[in-house]
Amino acid sequence: MTSPSPEQEYADRRYRSPAGIAGGVLLLALAGWLGGDAVARGEGSTPWLALAGLLCVAPLIIAFTLRPAVFAGASRLLVRNPFRTITLPWAAVDAVRAGYSSEVLAGGSTYQLWAVPVSLRKRKKAARGGGEAAPADQTVAELQELAERGASREDAKGDVGVRWAYEVLAPAGAGLVLFVVLLVVG
């Protein structure tokens, strides 16, 4: 996180799912353990199949657990989802909402916020207790406020940018192709 500059009222903010990160680390450890065992003790084509499987599975685990993040700055919102990165200048953001999932509406499109999971159980508990809102609702309200404040900034204007995450897709695809080839060749 950076410290605020004189023209910036707040520091850049980052939102991630701690449970997603913990689950990703555990899944990577499990895949590494099982794959490493297959490479070390396997015979024939088993070690090669295990390596190809790891090459396919590891990027997908990373994509769905460790990669998702939302970065809110003074002039834009950056949403990093499993397979895409979306750059949304605040002026392009129409709304931020949370229903069954957290979403940003911009330019007639809806983008999911994978890093801000909605817990219906926490939402019901907050409603029963009459206390604070659920964490996802707090985050969405905060992002909506930032969008409203940032929309008037001159550097917050522009088009929505969407970039595919080839750094995830390429190794996963290569691992899948290699795995299928090794299965067919036998």
Side-chain angles (χ1 to χ4, degrees):
M1 302 209 23
T2 60
S3 61
S5 61
E7 68 276 351
Q8 185 177 346
E9 297 177 15
Y10 56 88
D12 289 346
R13 299 169 193 206
R14 177 182 59 206
Y15 303 94
R16 301 191 70 172
S17 170
I21 292 170
V25 169
L26 290 173
L27 282 173
L28 284 173
L30 180 64
W33 176 43
L34 294 173
D37 184 54
V39 169
R41 298 175 190 224
E43 297 175 3
S45 63
T46 301
W48 295 108
L49 284 168
L51 287 173
L54 284 174
L55 181 61
C56 180
V57 169
L60 295 175
I61 292 172
I62 291 168
F64 284 100
T65 59
L66 303 178
R67 188 175 193 285
V70 174
F71 302 95
S75 60
R76 67 184 170 92
L77 180 68
L78 182 82
V79 178
R80 199 171 62 195
N81 283 340
F83 300 121
R84 297 188 305 176
T85 300
I86 303 110
T87 304
L88 301 139
W90 286 124
V93 173
D94 298 325
V96 183
R97 67 182 183 195
Y100 292 111
S101 66
S102 301
E103 305 169 334
V104 174
L105 285 75
S109 296
T110 302
Y111 304 99
Q112 304 295 318
L113 301 176
W114 283 66
V116 184
V118 173
S119 171
L120 296 178
R121 183 185 324 167
K122 286 184 181 178
R123 186 179 281 168
K124 285 181 185 178
K125 183 178 177 183
R128 276 194 315 260
E132 287 188 17
D137 294 332
Q138 289 176 338
T139 300
V140 165
E142 193 173 293
L143 289 173
Q144 182 64 41
E145 179 187 336
L146 292 174
E148 291 167 1
R149 283 194 310 185
S152 62
R153 295 176 56 98
E154 190 59 39
D155 59 349
K157 303 200 181 336
D159 295 329
V160 174
V162 178
R163 185 185 73 78
W164 286 98
Y166 295 110
E167 64 274 13
V168 172
L169 296 170
L176 179 63
V177 168
L178 185 60
F179 187 81
V180 169
V181 167
L182 288 171
L183 272 178
V184 169
V185 171

